[in-house]
Amino acid sequence: MQIPYEVSARPDTGLYNAKLGIWLFLASEVMLFGGLFSAYIFQRLGAEPGYWPHGLLNVPVGMGNTIVLIASSVTVVLAWAALKMRRWNQYWWFMGITIFCGLLFLVVKLSYEWPQKFVHFGVFIKKDAVAKYEDYLGNKHQAANGLEPRYEISGHLEAVEFERDGKHETVKAREGEEGLHPWEDIEWASAFLPRHSTYFGTYFLITGLHGLHVLAGVIVFAYMWLFGKELYLRNPEHMANRVEVAGLFWHFVDLVWIFVFPIFYLL
Amino acid sequence: MADPAYTPTVAPAPHIHDVNAPGHDAEHMAKHVKGYLVVGLLLILLTGFTVFLSYVNFDKYLPGHGWNIIVGMIEATFKAGLVAAIFMHLKGERATIWRFLFFTAIFVSGLFFLTYLHYWDPIGGHAHSVSDTGTYTNQH
């Protein structure tokens, strides 16, 4: 027995089953990411000036990843169009490129962007000691240009060592490096981990959740790429519908990243 | 003998298609392919433009604060609109989908409003201490 409206549209909605279902699912995904973005925005707006990290993400790499995802959105819709025009080879190539772009995005994120965070640290200087670190913070320049003050000195973990001696702790420069930060002057120090600040906590949460969505999309596409020929030979329109529905999910993932990139990397 | 007044509610099983024959809207599809490529290129160019705009301090030229955020979000919304309208085929989509999205917009606005309500919190409505913001007090 054939499940009705797998390929043909229902007369009342004008949609086939999977398209109805995926749009309802995407509506729930909007609520998921919307809640997280909302929390980030209001945390950002309520942050004390100078304490919200800025300029710590690699903009060229983020822009490159954005272009990769946009290109993959183009190729997945071209893959669907190829199926509608019954061009299997063209579909196969476009879907392969889509999968490659998705994997490239994940590799860049997990092998470069995130690990780079883990080997850098930030030290928040107490407000009453800020003047001592003017060479590092540059608050006179910030004030002259109407910008927020800076309280955080950041650096590479390999350049410093943390010494503990009973009650006293020191962030000490390694041999050949400059800078000595007595613990009395430090409000908080951490590597760029989720615990560093609300900014990084939200950054890792949203980009991690987004990355999981990218991985899920890649897995689904890989299945259609490797095992789709049988369905295509049996019912090409059904195969085209499946690719369209998976493509809708992929476009949504791209859409989320279109907001993630400026919010976290640029603003 | 089949009842002529009876309308079957289950769609008949599809017959096997000739995979070498084009789909019924293949010519229609070919026209859209060019559109997908143009929009894709436009999105890539707009991404570069977004980065450029982030280096312009709009607060210097416009009254008030936060203009960079507003400009960035307007551009991101425009790009998202292109993806939704063209790649996701929302342009010309059935009314059912638009009804879903209408209610989604209402609910997500409600979600934003709920987080916005923190400003009316009588105890911690505004960030008074360092621990409320982007950093933490030294625990040692």
Side-chain angles (χ1 to χ4, degrees), chain A residues 11-265:
Chain A
D12 51 354
T13 62
L15 302 162
Y16 57 89
N17 297 342
K19 190 176 244 191
L20 197 86
I22 196 69
W23 274 109
L24 282 172
F25 172 65
L26 291 181
S28 73
E29 292 275 273
V30 167
M31 298 302 291
L32 170 62
F33 282 99
L36 294 173
F37 277 116
S38 174
Y40 176 86
I41 286 165
F42 287 107
Q43 290 279 0
R44 174 70 184 90
L45 292 176
E48 193 166 335
Y51 282 93
W52 196 266
H54 185 264
L56 298 178
L57 301 181
N58 192 321
V59 172
V61 170
M63 182 174 147
N65 257 1
T66 307
I67 290 171
V68 163
L69 269 191
I70 289 170
S72 69
S73 265
V74 174
T75 53
V76 79
V77 78
L78 291 177
W80 168 75
L83 281 179
K84 292 291 272 187
M85 292 188 283
R86 305 295 184 255
R87 296 175 186 173
W88 172 261
N89 285 340
Q90 214 174 67
Y91 154 79
W92 194 86
W93 278 104
F94 281 130
M95 186 55 88
I97 295 170
T98 307
I99 293 168
F100 172 77
C101 288
L103 289 172
L104 178 63
F105 179 90
L106 288 173
V107 163
V108 168
K109 181 146 297 295
L110 295 176
S111 70
Y112 178 75
E113 285 198 279
W114 277 22
Q116 279 294 303
K117 303 290 163 300
F118 303 153
V119 297
H120 284 85
F121 72 94
V123 172
F124 286 90
I125 304 297
K126 287 181 180 170
K127 279 183 178 168
D128 53 9
V130 158
K132 280 199 269 179
Y133 299 92
E134 178 56 24
D135 287 346
Y136 298 99
L137 297 172
N139 280 323
K140 285 181 184 164
H141 171 267
Q142 297 287 100
N145 287 280
L147 299 170
E148 285 187 359
R150 290 176 58 195
Y151 300 106
E152 183 185 16
I153 298 171
S154 54
H156 203 283
L157 276 175
E158 288 179 3
V160 297
E161 51 194 42
F162 292 82
E163 286 185 351
R164 286 189 169 83
D165 172 22
K167 287 189 222 175
H168 300 284
E169 302 189 28
T170 308
V171 178
K172 184 178 171 184
R174 291 189 197 277
E175 191 175 332
E177 301 289 341
E178 291 186 4
L180 177 66
H181 309 297
W183 195 255
E184 291 77 26
D185 291 343
I186 294 172
E187 182 139 31
W188 169 252
S190 169
F192 292 161
L193 301 170
R195 69 196 287 262
H196 171 277
S197 56
T198 309
Y199 169 81
F200 273 116
T202 323
Y203 165 78
F204 283 111
L205 174 63
I206 289 185
T207 58
L209 185 64
H210 178 266
L212 282 175
H213 281 71
V214 171
L215 179 63
V218 165
I219 291 171
V220 168
F221 285 150
Y223 177 82
M224 291 179 178
W225 191 54
L226 295 169
F227 306 112
K229 189 77 181 272
E230 188 202 334
L231 177 61
Y232 175 76
L233 291 173
R234 189 160 30 91
N235 190 337
E237 196 63 20
H238 191 181
M239 179 64 186
N241 287 353
R242 284 190 172 181
V243 170
E244 182 183 15
V245 162
L248 283 171
F249 173 80
W250 191 254
H251 295 311
F252 175 77
V253 167
D254 181 27
L255 204 145
V256 168
W257 185 259
I258 281 172
F259 283 99
V260 167
F261 174 60
I263 286 174
F264 282 97
Y265 287 75

Side-chain angles (χ1 to χ4, degrees), chain A residues 1-2 4-5 7-8 12-15 19-20 23-24 26-27 30-32 34-35 37-39 41-43 45-48 51-53 59 63 66-67 70-71 73-74 77-78 80-81 84-86 124 126-127 145 147 164 169 183 186-188 194-199 232-237 244 248 251-252 254-255 258-259 261-263 266-267, chain B residues 9-27 29-30 33 36-37 39-41 43-44 47-48 50-51 54-55 57 60 68-69 72-73 75-77 79-81 83-84 86-90 93-97 100-101 104 107-108 111-113 115-116 118-119 126-130 132-140:
Chain A
M1 178 184 161
Q2 179 69 34
Y5 309 120
V7 177
S8 57
D12 51 354
T13 62
L15 302 162
K19 190 176 244 191
L20 197 86
W23 274 109
L24 282 172
L26 291 181
V30 167
M31 298 302 291
L32 170 62
F37 277 116
S38 174
I41 286 165
F42 287 107
Q43 290 279 0
L45 292 176
E48 193 166 335
Y51 282 93
W52 196 266
V59 172
M63 182 174 147
T66 307
I67 290 171
I70 289 170
S73 265
V74 174
V77 78
L78 291 177
W80 168 75
K84 292 291 272 187
M85 292 188 283
R86 305 295 184 255
F124 286 90
K126 287 181 180 170
K127 279 183 178 168
N145 287 280
L147 299 170
R164 286 189 169 83
E169 302 189 28
W183 195 255
I186 294 172
E187 182 139 31
W188 169 252
R195 69 196 287 262
H196 171 277
S197 56
T198 309
Y199 169 81
Y232 175 76
L233 291 173
R234 189 160 30 91
N235 190 337
E237 196 63 20
E244 182 183 15
L248 283 171
H251 295 311
F252 175 77
D254 181 27
L255 204 145
I258 281 172
F259 283 99
F261 174 60
I263 286 174
L266 304 177
L267 296 173
Chain B
T9 56
V10 173
H15 58 271
I16 301 298
H17 293 268
D18 176 2
V19 299
N20 293 316
H24 64 278
D25 50 356
E27 288 178 17
M29 288 310 309
V33 166
Y36 298 143
L37 292 169
V39 170
L41 183 63
L43 285 168
I44 290 171
T47 300
T50 304
V51 174
S54 70
Y55 289 103
N57 186 0
K60 261 189 181 178
N68 277 67
I69 295 172
M73 286 302 96
E75 211 206 345
T77 304
K79 284 163 65 181
V83 172
I86 309 301
F87 290 162
M88 297 175 88
H89 311 130
L90 264 186
E93 188 52 271
R94 299 288 175 173
T96 307
I97 302 299
F100 290 165
L101 295 177
T104 306
F107 289 130
V108 84
L111 204 52
F112 273 72
F113 178 69
T115 23
Y116 177 69
H118 99 95
Y119 283 117
H126 296 276
H128 293 296
S129 67
V130 164
D132 285 344
T133 61
T135 187
Y136 300 88
T137 306
N138 182 5
Q139 296 298 312
H140 292 277

Side-chain angles (χ1 to χ4, degrees), chain B residues 53-73:
Chain B
L53 285 180
S54 70
Y55 289 103
V56 176
N57 186 0
F58 285 96
D59 287 350
K60 261 189 181 178
Y61 309 109
L62 297 166
H65 299 281
W67 282 104
N68 277 67
I69 295 172
I70 293 169
V71 168
M73 286 302 96

